[in-house]
Amino acid sequence: MDRFYERLAEVLEEDKVGPDDVLASFEQWDSLTALSVVAMIDEHYAVNISAEDLASTRTAGALEALVAAKRTP
């Protein structure tokens, strides 16, 4: 997916985010940031993910895979 990790890094206020990075390990990771991630995914990828989906997603790569799976008709 085009620029997924760049966009995620912007939301997390990080220089770089990779697929193996654990979301909860980022200093900025909190409920407001989680909401911002959900909004970013909706805006750029037209995918709605639930709070449960996000809570069960441990890494940035798993989040990307979840978004990609939900984009596939």
Side-chain angles (χ1 to χ4, degrees):
M1 287 185 314
D2 185 43
R3 297 190 57 223
F4 181 80
Y5 295 109
E6 290 175 42
R7 289 181 172 126
L8 188 57
E10 288 174 15
V11 172
L12 293 169
E13 298 177 12
E14 294 288 333
D15 293 330
K16 187 174 182 181
V17 173
D20 295 327
D21 291 332
V22 176
L23 296 172
S25 70
F26 290 104
E27 186 176 327
Q28 293 294 331
W29 189 255
D30 60 16
S31 58
L32 185 57
T33 302
L35 230 101
S36 296
V37 169
V38 169
M40 178 274 292
I41 290 169
D42 181 47
E43 177 183 348
H44 293 285
Y45 303 102
V47 170
N48 293 314
I49 61 170
S50 68
E52 293 82 20
D53 287 338
L54 189 58
S56 67
T57 305
R58 186 170 185 272
T59 65
L63 180 59
E64 180 189 30
L66 174 67
V67 173
K70 289 188 175 254
R71 287 183 78 190
T72 306

